[in-house]
Amino acid sequence: MNNCLSVIIPCFNEEKTIHDLILEVLRQKSVYEVIIIDDLIATGGTAIASAKLVEKCKANVAAFIFLIDLYDLQGNRKLKSKNYKTFKLIDFPGH
């Protein structure tokens, strides 16, 4: 693990470009792990898709960080059930 990087990827409003962004970051051979930061977690679809892409490129998802967890939509729970580390600042109902 010499000279390995941890990369933080901000994903605010990046649904259309996150795939290309992750692929570009992971083309760097020294990337070991990725921390994905987003403004909110709702159903978890975008976060899970991002994690799958990172893992397909042979890197690790170190954690997800969210400003807001719309807890009624259970996206954070889905991520945790897949053993991802998640951190959030605010809980808010998603209905």
Side-chain angles (χ1 to χ4, degrees):
M1 214 163 69
N2 293 334
N3 298 320
C4 291
L5 297 175
S6 296
V7 177
I8 299 172
I9 299 178
C11 297
F12 179 69
N13 290 336
E14 295 296 331
E15 293 86 7
K16 295 179 181 172
T17 60
I18 189 67
H19 180 269
D20 293 337
L21 176 65
I22 289 172
L23 288 177
E24 186 61 32
V25 165
L26 294 177
R27 280 191 187 106
Q28 310 307 311
K29 299 201 184 304
S30 58
V31 173
Y32 169 70
E33 64 183 6
V34 175
I35 300 166
I36 299 173
I37 301 174
D38 204 346
D39 61 332
L40 65 86
I41 177 78
T43 64
T46 301
I48 291 170
S50 298
K52 286 181 180 178
L53 182 58
V54 168
E55 291 163 352
K56 183 178 177 183
C57 293
K58 308 294 187 226
N60 299 312
V61 177
F64 288 92
I65 301 173
F66 303 103
L67 177 61
I68 300 169
D69 177 9
L70 299 178
Y71 60 84
D72 288 353
L73 300 179
Q74 300 188 11
N76 196 24
R77 179 178 286 173
K78 289 177 192 173
L79 290 173
K80 288 183 175 189
S81 74
K82 295 179 181 296
N83 295 317
Y84 292 112
K85 292 180 187 175
T86 66
F87 302 91
K88 59 188 174 160
L89 296 177
I90 302 168
D91 282 325
F92 197 81
H95 58 273

Coordinates of all heavy atoms in Angstrom, one line a residue:
M1 N 0.8 -1.2 0.0 CA 0.0 0.0 0.0 C 0.9 1.3 0.0 O 0.5 2.3 0.5 CB -0.9 0.0 1.2 CG -2.2 0.6 0.9 SD -3.5 0.2 2.1 CE -3.0 1.0 3.5
N2 N 2.0 1.2 -0.6 CA 2.9 2.4 -0.6 C 2.4 3.4 -1.6 O 1.9 3.1 -2.7 CB 4.3 1.9 -1.1 CG 5.0 1.1 -0.1 OD1 4.7 1.2 1.1 ND2 5.9 0.2 -0.5
N3 N 2.4 4.7 -1.2 CA 2.0 5.7 -2.1 C 0.6 5.6 -2.5 O 0.3 5.9 -3.7 CB 2.9 5.9 -3.3 CG 4.3 6.2 -2.8 OD1 4.5 7.0 -1.9 ND2 5.3 5.6 -3.5
C4 N -0.3 5.2 -1.7 CA -1.7 5.0 -2.0 C -2.5 6.3 -1.6 O -2.2 6.9 -0.5 CB -2.3 3.8 -1.4 SG -1.7 2.3 -2.1
L5 N -3.5 6.6 -2.3 CA -4.3 7.8 -2.0 C -5.7 7.5 -1.6 O -6.3 6.5 -2.1 CB -4.4 8.7 -3.3 CG -3.1 9.3 -3.9 CD1 -3.4 10.0 -5.2 CD2 -2.4 10.2 -2.9
S6 N -6.2 8.3 -0.7 CA -7.6 8.3 -0.4 C -8.2 9.5 -1.1 O -7.7 10.6 -0.9 CB -7.9 8.4 1.1 OG -7.3 7.2 1.8
V7 N -9.2 9.3 -1.8 CA -9.8 10.4 -2.6 C -11.2 10.7 -2.1 O -12.0 9.8 -1.9 CB -9.9 10.0 -4.1 CG1 -10.5 11.1 -5.0 CG2 -8.5 9.7 -4.7
I8 N -11.5 12.0 -1.9 CA -12.8 12.4 -1.5 C -13.5 13.0 -2.8 O -13.0 13.8 -3.5 CB -12.7 13.6 -0.5 CG1 -12.0 13.0 0.8 CG2 -14.1 14.1 -0.2 CD1 -11.7 14.1 1.8
I9 N -14.7 12.4 -3.1 CA -15.4 12.8 -4.3 C -16.7 13.5 -3.8 O -17.6 12.8 -3.3 CB -15.8 11.6 -5.2 CG1 -14.5 10.9 -5.7 CG2 -16.7 12.0 -6.3 CD1 -14.7 9.7 -6.5
P10 N -16.9 14.8 -4.0 CA -18.2 15.4 -3.7 C -19.2 15.1 -4.8 O -18.8 15.2 -6.0 CB -17.8 16.9 -3.7 CG -16.6 17.0 -4.6 CD -15.9 15.7 -4.5
C11 N -20.4 14.8 -4.5 CA -21.4 14.3 -5.5 C -22.6 15.2 -5.5 O -23.6 14.8 -6.0 CB -21.8 12.9 -5.1 SG -20.4 11.7 -5.3
F12 N -22.6 16.4 -5.0 CA -23.8 17.3 -5.0 C -24.2 17.6 -6.4 O -23.4 18.1 -7.2 CB -23.4 18.6 -4.2 CG -24.6 19.5 -4.2 CD1 -25.7 19.2 -3.4 CD2 -24.6 20.7 -4.9 CE1 -26.8 20.1 -3.4 CE2 -25.6 21.6 -4.8 CZ -26.7 21.3 -4.1
N13 N -25.4 17.1 -6.8 CA -26.0 17.4 -8.1 C -25.1 16.8 -9.2 O -25.0 17.4 -10.3 CB -26.3 18.8 -8.3 CG -27.4 19.4 -7.5 OD1 -28.3 18.6 -7.0 ND2 -27.4 20.6 -7.2
E14 N -24.5 15.7 -9.0 CA -23.6 15.1 -10.0 C -24.2 13.8 -10.6 O -23.4 13.0 -11.2 CB -22.2 14.8 -9.4 CG -21.5 16.0 -9.0 CD -21.1 17.0 -10.1 OE1 -20.9 16.5 -11.2 OE2 -21.1 18.2 -9.8
E15 N -25.5 13.6 -10.6 CA -26.0 12.4 -11.1 C -25.6 12.1 -12.5 O -25.4 10.9 -12.9 CB -27.6 12.4 -11.0 CG -28.1 12.4 -9.6 CD -28.2 13.8 -9.0 OE1 -28.0 14.8 -9.7 OE2 -28.5 13.9 -7.8
K16 N -25.5 13.1 -13.3 CA -25.2 12.9 -14.7 C -23.8 12.7 -15.0 O -23.4 12.2 -16.1 CB -25.8 14.1 -15.6 CG -27.3 14.2 -15.5 CD -27.8 15.4 -16.3 CE -29.3 15.4 -16.2 NZ -29.8 16.6 -16.8
T17 N -22.9 13.1 -14.1 CA -21.5 13.0 -14.3 C -20.7 12.1 -13.4 O -19.5 11.9 -13.6 CB -20.8 14.4 -14.3 OG1 -21.1 15.0 -13.0 CG2 -21.4 15.3 -15.3
I18 N -21.4 11.6 -12.3 CA -20.6 10.8 -11.3 C -19.9 9.6 -11.9 O -18.8 9.3 -11.5 CB -21.6 10.4 -10.1 CG1 -20.8 9.9 -9.0 CG2 -22.6 9.5 -10.6 CD1 -19.9 10.8 -8.3
H19 N -20.5 8.9 -12.8 CA -19.9 7.8 -13.5 C -18.6 8.1 -14.1 O -17.5 7.5 -13.8 CB -20.9 7.2 -14.5 CG -20.3 6.0 -15.2 ND1 -19.6 6.0 -16.3 CD2 -20.4 4.7 -14.8 CE1 -19.2 4.8 -16.7 NE2 -19.7 4.0 -15.8
D20 N -18.6 9.2 -14.9 CA -17.3 9.6 -15.6 C -16.3 10.1 -14.6 O -15.1 9.9 -14.7 CB -17.6 10.7 -16.6 CG -18.4 10.2 -17.8 OD1 -18.4 8.9 -18.0 OD2 -19.1 11.0 -18.4
L21 N -16.8 10.8 -13.5 CA -15.9 11.4 -12.5 C -15.2 10.2 -11.8 O -14.0 10.2 -11.6 CB -16.7 12.2 -11.5 CG -15.9 12.8 -10.3 CD1 -14.8 13.7 -10.8 CD2 -16.8 13.5 -9.4
I22 N -15.9 9.2 -11.3 CA -15.3 8.1 -10.6 C -14.3 7.4 -11.5 O -13.2 7.0 -11.0 CB -16.4 7.2 -10.1 CG1 -17.2 7.8 -8.9 CG2 -15.8 5.8 -9.6 CD1 -18.4 7.1 -8.5
L23 N -14.7 7.1 -12.7 CA -13.8 6.4 -13.6 C -12.5 7.2 -13.8 O -11.4 6.6 -13.8 CB -14.5 6.1 -15.0 CG -15.5 5.1 -15.0 CD1 -16.2 5.0 -16.4 CD2 -15.0 3.7 -14.5
E24 N -12.6 8.5 -14.0 CA -11.4 9.3 -14.2 C -10.5 9.3 -12.9 O -9.3 9.2 -13.0 CB -11.8 10.8 -14.5 CG -10.6 11.6 -14.9 CD -9.8 11.2 -16.1 OE1 -10.4 10.6 -17.0 OE2 -8.6 11.4 -16.1
V25 N -11.1 9.4 -11.8 CA -10.3 9.4 -10.5 C -9.6 8.0 -10.4 O -8.4 7.9 -10.0 CB -11.2 9.7 -9.3 CG1 -10.5 9.3 -8.0 CG2 -11.6 11.1 -9.3
L26 N -10.3 7.0 -10.7 CA -9.8 5.6 -10.5 C -8.8 5.2 -11.5 O -8.2 4.2 -11.4 CB -10.9 4.6 -10.3 CG -11.8 4.8 -9.1 CD1 -12.9 3.9 -9.0 CD2 -10.9 4.8 -7.8
R27 N -8.7 6.0 -12.6 CA -7.6 5.7 -13.6 C -6.2 6.0 -13.0 O -5.2 5.5 -13.5 CB -7.8 6.6 -14.8 CG -8.9 6.0 -15.7 CD -8.9 6.7 -17.1 NE -10.0 6.2 -17.9 CZ -11.1 6.9 -18.1 NH1 -11.2 8.2 -17.6 NH2 -12.1 6.4 -18.7
Q28 N -6.2 6.7 -12.0 CA -4.9 7.0 -11.3 C -4.6 5.8 -10.5 O -5.3 5.3 -9.6 CB -5.1 8.2 -10.3 CG -5.7 9.4 -11.0 CD -5.0 9.8 -12.3 OE1 -3.8 10.0 -12.3 NE2 -5.8 10.1 -13.3
K29 N -3.5 5.1 -10.8 CA -3.1 3.8 -10.2 C -2.9 3.9 -8.7 O -2.9 2.8 -8.1 CB -1.9 3.3 -11.0 CG -2.2 3.1 -12.5 CD -1.2 2.1 -13.1 CE -1.4 2.0 -14.6 NZ -2.7 1.7 -15.0
S30 N -2.7 5.0 -8.2 CA -2.3 5.1 -6.7 C -3.6 5.2 -5.9 O -3.5 5.3 -4.6 CB -1.4 6.2 -6.5 OG -1.9 7.4 -6.9
V31 N -4.8 5.3 -6.4 CA -6.0 5.4 -5.6 C -6.3 4.1 -5.0 O -6.5 3.1 -5.6 CB -7.2 5.9 -6.5 CG1 -8.4 5.9 -5.7 CG2 -6.9 7.3 -7.0
Y32 N -6.4 4.2 -3.6 CA -6.7 3.0 -2.9 C -8.2 3.0 -2.4 O -8.9 2.0 -2.4 CB -5.8 2.9 -1.7 CG -6.2 1.9 -0.6 CD1 -6.1 0.5 -0.9 CD2 -6.7 2.2 0.6 CE1 -6.4 -0.5 0.0 CE2 -7.1 1.3 1.5 CZ -7.0 -0.1 1.2 OH -7.3 -1.0 2.1
E33 N -8.6 4.1 -1.9 CA -10.0 4.2 -1.4 C -10.6 5.5 -1.7 O -10.0 6.5 -2.0 CB -10.0 4.0 0.1 CG -9.3 5.1 0.9 CD -9.3 4.8 2.4 OE1 -9.7 3.7 2.8 OE2 -8.8 5.7 3.1
V34 N -12.0 5.5 -1.7 CA -12.8 6.7 -2.1 C -13.8 7.0 -0.9 O -14.4 6.1 -0.4 CB -13.5 6.4 -3.4 CG1 -14.5 7.6 -3.7 CG2 -12.6 6.1 -4.5
I35 N -13.9 8.2 -0.6 CA -14.9 8.7 0.3 C -15.9 9.6 -0.5 O -15.5 10.5 -1.2 CB -14.3 9.6 1.4 CG1 -13.2 8.8 2.2 CG2 -15.3 10.2 2.3 CD1 -12.3 9.6 3.1
I36 N -17.1 9.2 -0.5 CA -18.1 9.9 -1.3 C -19.0 10.8 -0.4 O -19.5 10.3 0.6 CB -19.0 8.8 -2.0 CG1 -18.2 8.0 -2.9 CG2 -20.1 9.5 -2.8 CD1 -18.9 6.8 -3.6
I37 N -19.0 12.0 -0.8 CA -19.8 13.0 0.0 C -20.9 13.5 -0.8 O -20.7 13.9 -2.0 CB -18.8 14.2 0.4 CG1 -17.7 13.7 1.2 CG2 -19.6 15.3 1.2 CD1 -16.6 14.8 1.6
D38 N -22.1 13.6 -0.2 CA -23.3 14.1 -0.9 C -24.1 14.9 0.0 O -24.0 14.8 1.3 CB -24.1 12.9 -1.4 CG -25.0 13.3 -2.6 OD1 -25.2 14.5 -2.9 OD2 -25.5 12.3 -3.3
D39 N -25.0 15.7 -0.5 CA -25.8 16.6 0.3 C -26.9 15.8 1.1 O -27.2 16.1 2.2 CB -26.4 17.7 -0.5 CG -27.3 17.3 -1.6 OD1 -27.1 16.2 -2.1 OD2 -28.2 18.0 -2.0
L40 N -27.4 14.8 0.4 CA -28.4 14.0 1.2 C -28.5 12.6 0.7 O -28.1 12.3 -0.4 CB -29.8 14.6 1.1 CG -30.5 14.7 -0.3 CD1 -31.3 13.5 -0.6 CD2 -31.5 15.9 -0.3
I41 N -29.0 11.7 1.5 CA -29.3 10.3 1.2 C -30.8 10.1 1.3 O -31.4 10.5 2.3 CB -28.5 9.3 2.1 CG1 -28.9 7.9 1.8 CG2 -28.8 9.6 3.6 CD1 -28.2 7.3 0.7
A42 N -31.4 9.7 0.2 CA -32.8 9.4 0.2 C -33.0 7.9 0.1 O -32.9 7.2 1.1 CB -33.4 10.1 -1.0
T43 N -33.2 7.4 -1.1 CA -33.4 5.9 -1.2 C -32.1 5.1 -1.3 O -32.2 3.9 -1.2 CB -34.3 5.6 -2.5 OG1 -33.5 6.0 -3.7 CG2 -35.6 6.3 -2.5
G44 N -31.0 5.8 -1.6 CA -29.7 5.1 -1.6 C -29.3 4.7 -3.0 O -28.2 4.1 -3.2
G45 N -30.2 4.9 -4.0 CA -29.9 4.4 -5.4 C -28.6 4.9 -5.9 O -27.8 4.1 -6.5
T46 N -28.4 6.2 -5.9 CA -27.2 6.8 -6.5 C -26.0 6.4 -5.7 O -24.9 6.1 -6.2 CB -27.3 8.3 -6.5 OG1 -28.5 8.7 -7.2 CG2 -26.1 9.0 -7.1
A47 N -26.1 6.3 -4.3 CA -24.9 6.0 -3.5 C -24.5 4.5 -3.8 O -23.3 4.2 -3.9 CB -25.3 6.1 -2.0
I48 N -25.5 3.6 -3.9 CA -25.2 2.2 -4.1 C -24.6 2.0 -5.5 O -23.6 1.3 -5.7 CB -26.4 1.3 -3.9 CG1 -26.8 1.3 -2.4 CG2 -26.2 -0.1 -4.5 CD1 -28.1 0.7 -2.1
A49 N -25.1 2.7 -6.5 CA -24.6 2.7 -7.9 C -23.1 3.2 -7.9 O -22.2 2.6 -8.6 CB -25.4 3.4 -8.8
S50 N -22.9 4.3 -7.2 CA -21.5 4.8 -7.1 C -20.6 3.8 -6.4 O -19.4 3.6 -6.9 CB -21.5 6.1 -6.3 OG -22.3 7.1 -7.0
A51 N -21.0 3.2 -5.4 CA -20.2 2.2 -4.7 C -19.8 1.0 -5.6 O -18.7 0.6 -5.6 CB -20.9 1.7 -3.4
K52 N -20.8 0.5 -6.3 CA -20.6 -0.6 -7.2 C -19.5 -0.2 -8.3 O -18.7 -1.0 -8.6 CB -21.9 -1.0 -7.9 CG -22.8 -1.8 -7.0 CD -24.1 -2.2 -7.7 CE -25.0 -2.9 -6.8 NZ -26.3 -3.3 -7.4
L53 N -19.6 1.0 -8.8 CA -18.6 1.4 -9.8 C -17.2 1.5 -9.2 O -16.3 1.1 -9.8 CB -19.1 2.8 -10.3 CG -18.2 3.4 -11.4 CD1 -18.1 2.4 -12.6 CD2 -18.7 4.7 -11.9
V54 N -17.1 2.1 -8.0 CA -15.8 2.2 -7.3 C -15.2 0.8 -7.1 O -14.1 0.5 -7.4 CB -15.9 2.9 -6.0 CG1 -14.7 2.7 -5.2 CG2 -16.3 4.4 -6.2
E55 N -16.0 -0.2 -6.7 CA -15.6 -1.5 -6.4 C -15.3 -2.3 -7.7 O -14.3 -3.0 -7.7 CB -16.6 -2.3 -5.6 CG -16.7 -1.7 -4.2 CD -17.9 -2.1 -3.4 OE1 -18.9 -2.6 -4.0 OE2 -18.0 -1.7 -2.2
K56 N -16.0 -2.0 -8.7 CA -15.7 -2.6 -10.0 C -14.3 -2.2 -10.5 O -13.7 -3.0 -11.2 CB -16.8 -2.2 -11.0 CG -16.6 -2.8 -12.4 CD -17.8 -2.4 -13.3 CE -17.6 -3.0 -14.7 NZ -18.6 -2.5 -15.6
C57 N -13.9 -1.0 -10.2 CA -12.6 -0.5 -10.6 C -11.5 -0.9 -9.6 O -10.4 -0.3 -9.6 CB -12.7 1.0 -10.7 SG -13.7 1.6 -12.1
K58 N -11.8 -1.8 -8.7 CA -10.9 -2.4 -7.7 C -10.4 -1.4 -6.7 O -9.3 -1.5 -6.2 CB -9.6 -2.9 -8.5 CG -10.0 -3.9 -9.6 CD -10.6 -5.2 -9.0 CE -10.8 -6.2 -10.1 NZ -12.0 -6.8 -10.2
A59 N -11.2 -0.5 -6.3 CA -10.9 0.4 -5.2 C -12.0 0.2 -4.1 O -12.9 -0.5 -4.3 CB -11.0 1.9 -5.6
N60 N -11.7 0.7 -2.9 CA -12.6 0.5 -1.8 C -13.4 1.8 -1.5 O -12.8 2.9 -1.6 CB -11.8 0.2 -0.5 CG -11.0 -1.0 -0.6 OD1 -11.5 -2.1 -1.0 ND2 -9.7 -1.0 -0.3
V61 N -14.6 1.7 -1.1 CA -15.4 2.8 -0.6 C -15.1 2.9 0.9 O -15.5 2.0 1.7 CB -16.9 2.6 -0.8 CG1 -17.7 3.8 -0.2 CG2 -17.2 2.5 -2.3
A62 N -14.4 3.9 1.3 CA -14.0 4.0 2.8 C -15.2 4.5 3.6 O -15.4 4.0 4.7 CB -12.9 5.0 2.9
A63 N -16.0 5.4 3.0 CA -17.2 5.9 3.7 C -18.1 6.7 2.8 O -17.6 7.2 1.8 CB -16.8 6.7 4.9
F64 N -19.3 6.9 3.2 CA -20.2 7.9 2.7 C -20.4 9.0 3.7 O -20.6 8.6 4.9 CB -21.6 7.3 2.3 CG -21.5 6.4 1.1 CD1 -21.3 5.0 1.3 CD2 -21.7 6.9 -0.2 CE1 -21.3 4.2 0.2 CE2 -21.7 6.0 -1.2 CZ -21.5 4.7 -1.1
I65 N -20.5 10.2 3.3 CA -20.8 11.3 4.3 C -21.9 12.1 3.6 O -21.8 12.5 2.5 CB -19.6 12.2 4.5 CG1 -18.4 11.4 5.1 CG2 -19.9 13.4 5.4 CD1 -17.1 12.2 5.2
F66 N -23.0 12.3 4.4 CA -24.2 13.0 4.0 C -24.5 14.2 4.9 O -24.3 14.0 6.1 CB -25.4 12.1 3.9 CG -25.2 10.9 3.0 CD1 -24.9 9.6 3.6 CD2 -25.2 11.0 1.6 CE1 -24.7 8.5 2.8 CE2 -25.0 9.9 0.8 CZ -24.8 8.7 1.4
L67 N -24.9 15.3 4.4 CA -25.4 16.4 5.2 C -26.7 16.0 5.8 O -26.9 16.1 7.0 CB -25.5 17.6 4.4 CG -26.0 18.8 5.1 CD1 -25.1 19.2 6.2 CD2 -26.2 20.0 4.1
I68 N -27.6 15.5 5.0 CA -29.0 15.2 5.4 C -29.3 13.7 5.1 O -29.1 13.2 4.0 CB -30.0 16.1 4.8 CG1 -29.7 17.5 5.1 CG2 -31.5 15.7 5.2 CD1 -30.5 18.5 4.3
D69 N -29.9 13.0 6.1 CA -30.4 11.7 5.9 C -32.0 11.7 5.9 O -32.5 12.1 7.0 CB -29.9 10.7 7.0 CG -30.5 9.3 7.0 OD1 -31.2 9.0 6.0 OD2 -30.3 8.6 7.9
L70 N -32.6 11.5 4.8 CA -34.1 11.4 4.7 C -34.4 10.0 5.2 O -34.7 9.1 4.4 CB -34.6 11.7 3.3 CG -34.2 13.1 2.8 CD1 -34.8 13.2 1.3 CD2 -34.8 14.2 3.6
Y71 N -34.5 9.9 6.5 CA -34.5 8.5 7.2 C -35.7 7.7 6.8 O -35.7 6.5 6.8 CB -34.3 8.6 8.7 CG -35.3 9.4 9.4 CD1 -36.6 8.9 9.8 CD2 -35.1 10.8 9.7 CE1 -37.5 9.6 10.5 CE2 -36.0 11.5 10.4 CZ -37.2 10.9 10.8 OH -38.2 11.7 11.4
D72 N -36.9 8.4 6.5 CA -38.1 7.6 6.1 C -37.9 6.8 4.8 O -38.6 5.8 4.6 CB -39.3 8.5 5.9 CG -39.8 9.1 7.2 OD1 -39.3 8.7 8.3 OD2 -40.7 10.0 7.2
L73 N -36.9 7.3 4.0 CA -36.7 6.6 2.7 C -35.7 5.5 2.8 O -35.5 4.7 1.9 CB -36.3 7.6 1.7 CG -37.4 8.7 1.4 CD1 -36.9 9.7 0.4 CD2 -38.7 8.1 1.0
Q74 N -35.0 5.3 3.9 CA -34.2 4.2 4.3 C -32.9 3.9 3.5 O -32.4 2.9 3.5 CB -35.0 2.9 4.4 CG -36.2 3.1 5.4 CD -36.9 1.8 5.7 OE1 -36.5 0.7 5.3 NE2 -38.0 1.9 6.4
G75 N -32.5 4.9 2.8 CA -31.3 4.8 2.0 C -30.0 4.5 2.9 O -29.2 3.7 2.5
N76 N -29.9 5.2 4.0 CA -28.8 5.0 4.9 C -28.8 3.6 5.4 O -27.8 3.0 5.6 CB -28.8 6.1 6.0 CG -27.5 6.2 6.7 OD1 -26.5 5.8 6.2 ND2 -27.6 6.7 7.9
R77 N -30.0 3.1 5.8 CA -30.1 1.8 6.3 C -29.7 0.7 5.2 O -29.0 -0.2 5.6 CB -31.6 1.5 6.7 CG -31.8 0.1 7.2 CD -33.2 -0.2 7.6 NE -33.4 0.6 8.9 CZ -34.6 0.7 9.5 NH1 -35.7 0.1 8.9 NH2 -34.7 1.3 10.6
K78 N -30.0 1.0 4.0 CA -29.6 0.1 2.9 C -28.1 0.0 2.8 O -27.5 -1.0 2.6 CB -30.2 0.5 1.5 CG -31.6 0.3 1.4 CD -32.1 0.8 0.1 CE -33.6 0.8 0.0 NZ -34.1 1.5 -1.2
L79 N -27.4 1.2 2.9 CA -26.0 1.2 2.8 C -25.4 0.5 4.0 O -24.4 -0.3 3.8 CB -25.5 2.7 2.8 CG -25.7 3.5 1.5 CD1 -25.4 4.9 1.7 CD2 -25.0 2.9 0.3
K80 N -25.9 0.7 5.2 CA -25.3 0.0 6.3 C -25.6 -1.5 6.3 O -24.7 -2.3 6.7 CB -25.9 0.6 7.6 CG -25.4 2.0 7.9 CD -26.0 2.5 9.2 CE -25.3 3.9 9.5 NZ -25.6 4.3 10.9
S81 N -26.7 -1.9 5.7 CA -26.9 -3.3 5.5 C -25.9 -4.0 4.6 O -25.7 -5.2 4.6 CB -28.4 -3.6 5.1 OG -28.5 -3.3 3.7
K82 N -25.3 -3.2 3.7 CA -24.3 -3.7 2.8 C -22.9 -3.5 3.4 O -21.9 -3.5 2.7 CB -24.4 -3.0 1.5 CG -25.7 -3.4 0.8 CD -25.8 -2.6 -0.6 CE -27.1 -3.0 -1.3 NZ -27.3 -4.4 -1.7
N83 N -22.8 -3.1 4.7 CA -21.6 -2.9 5.4 C -20.8 -1.7 5.0 O -19.6 -1.7 5.2 CB -20.7 -4.2 5.4 CG -21.4 -5.3 6.1 OD1 -22.0 -5.1 7.2 ND2 -21.4 -6.5 5.6
Y84 N -21.4 -0.7 4.5 CA -20.7 0.6 4.2 C -20.8 1.4 5.4 O -21.7 1.5 6.2 CB -21.4 1.3 3.0 CG -21.2 0.6 1.7 CD1 -22.3 0.1 1.1 CD2 -20.0 0.5 1.1 CE1 -22.2 -0.5 -0.2 CE2 -19.9 -0.1 -0.1 CZ -21.0 -0.6 -0.8 OH -20.8 -1.2 -2.0
K85 N -19.7 2.2 5.7 CA -19.6 3.2 6.8 C -20.4 4.4 6.3 O -20.1 4.9 5.1 CB -18.2 3.5 7.1 CG -17.5 2.4 7.8 CD -16.1 2.9 8.1 CE -15.3 1.7 8.7 NZ -13.9 2.1 8.9
T86 N -21.2 4.9 7.1 CA -21.9 6.2 6.7 C -21.9 7.1 7.9 O -21.9 6.7 9.0 CB -23.4 5.9 6.3 OG1 -24.1 5.5 7.4 CG2 -23.5 4.9 5.2
F87 N -21.9 8.4 7.5 CA -21.9 9.5 8.5 C -22.9 10.5 8.0 O -23.0 10.8 6.8 CB -20.5 10.1 8.7 CG -19.5 9.1 9.1 CD1 -18.7 8.5 8.1 CD2 -19.3 8.8 10.4 CE1 -17.7 7.5 8.5 CE2 -18.3 7.9 10.8 CZ -17.6 7.2 9.8
K88 N -23.6 11.1 8.9 CA -24.6 12.1 8.5 C -24.6 13.2 9.6 O -24.3 13.0 10.7 CB -26.0 11.5 8.4 CG -26.3 10.9 9.7 CD -27.5 10.1 9.6 CE -27.7 9.4 11.0 NZ -29.0 9.0 11.2
L89 N -25.1 14.4 9.2 CA -25.1 15.5 10.2 C -26.6 15.7 10.7 O -26.8 16.0 11.8 CB -24.6 16.8 9.5 CG -23.2 16.8 9.1 CD1 -22.8 18.1 8.5 CD2 -22.3 16.5 10.3
I90 N -27.6 15.5 9.8 CA -28.9 15.9 10.1 C -29.9 14.7 9.7 O -29.8 14.2 8.6 CB -29.4 17.2 9.4 CG1 -28.5 18.3 9.8 CG2 -30.8 17.5 9.7 CD1 -28.7 19.6 8.9
D91 N -30.8 14.3 10.6 CA -31.9 13.4 10.3 C -33.1 14.3 10.0 O -33.4 15.2 10.7 CB -32.2 12.5 11.5 CG -31.2 11.4 11.6 OD1 -30.8 10.9 10.6 OD2 -31.0 11.0 12.8
F92 N -33.8 13.9 8.9 CA -35.0 14.6 8.5 C -36.0 13.6 7.8 O -35.5 12.8 7.1 CB -34.6 15.7 7.5 CG -35.6 16.8 7.3 CD1 -35.8 17.8 8.2 CD2 -36.5 16.7 6.2 CE1 -36.7 18.8 8.0 CE2 -37.5 17.7 6.0 CZ -37.6 18.8 6.9
P93 N -37.3 13.7 8.1 CA -38.2 12.8 7.5 C -38.3 13.0 6.0 O -38.1 14.2 5.5 CB -39.5 13.1 8.2 CG -39.4 14.5 8.8 CD -37.9 14.7 9.0
G94 N -38.4 12.0 5.2 CA -38.4 12.1 3.8 C -39.8 12.1 3.1 O -39.9 12.1 1.9
H95 N -40.8 12.2 3.9 CA -42.1 12.2 3.3 C -42.6 13.6 2.9 O -42.1 14.6 3.3 CB -43.2 11.6 4.2 CG -43.3 12.3 5.6 ND1 -42.5 11.9 6.6 CD2 -44.1 13.2 6.0 CE1 -42.8 12.7 7.7 NE2 -43.7 13.5 7.3

